[in-house]
Amino acid sequence: QVQVVESGGDLVQAGGSLRLSCTPSGLTFGDYALGWFRQAPGKEREGGLCISSSGTTTYYYADSVKGRFTISRDNAKNTVYLQMNSLKPEDTAMYYCAAGQQCRSLLSRKVDYWGQGTQVTVSS
């Protein structure tokens, strides 16, 4: 049974940083592209970033996070990370980890597995 578990969400002040982690289990980690999506209250879920299965390529789905957010993965630890810097109140959302065949697939919402989400709240 596949499980995707996110952690690291918290309440942080504007300008601060957080690092989210996602650890899928029950699958061959190195076979999957992994992405981070977010959903703010009353809004649709939006894609943020994705990293290819090999870790050699990253994709930014949202201009709003470029230069502030970074995605990385450690295939030895079966973990993908989202480093978030210079956080803004508009970054407040539930953040979801997703696993799929390719980053292009994840962008099209062809997601094989979703996590349950971790809450990030940025206060002004």
Side-chain angles (χ1 to χ4, degrees):
Q1 183 178 357
V2 176
Q3 286 189 315
V4 180
V5 179
E6 304 98 331
S7 62
D10 205 345
L11 171 64
V12 63
Q13 287 190 333
S17 297
L18 276 178
R19 189 176 79 159
L20 306 183
S21 300
C22 170
T23 305
S25 60
L27 52 74
T28 303
F29 186 79
D31 287 349
Y32 288 85
L34 296 161
W36 286 96
F37 293 72
R38 66 185 184 183
Q39 187 168 16
K43 295 187 177 181
E44 292 188 355
R45 191 172 298 187
E46 65 173 3
L49 306 90
C50 182
I51 188 166
S52 62
S53 58
S54 64
T56 56
T57 308
T58 59
Y59 299 83
Y60 290 85
Y61 299 151
D63 290 339
S64 60
V65 303
K66 288 182 180 179
R68 299 189 299 123
F69 291 10
T70 304
I71 189 171
S72 62
R73 65 190 291 161
D74 186 336
N75 283 5
K77 295 183 178 180
N78 284 11
T79 301
V80 60
Y81 303 99
L82 179 64
Q83 179 67 43
M84 303 185 293
N85 299 327
S86 302
L87 283 161
K88 304 175 181 180
E90 51 264 42
D91 294 318
T92 295
M94 185 72 78
Y95 282 72
Y96 297 91
C97 180
Q101 299 303 306
Q102 297 179 352
C103 284
R104 183 165 48 189
S105 304
L106 293 182
L107 180 60
S108 301
R109 301 295 194 270
K110 294 177 183 177
V111 175
D112 291 343
Y113 305 105
W114 285 104
Q116 294 299 307
T118 186
Q119 179 67 38
V120 173
T121 303
V122 184
S123 63
S124 57

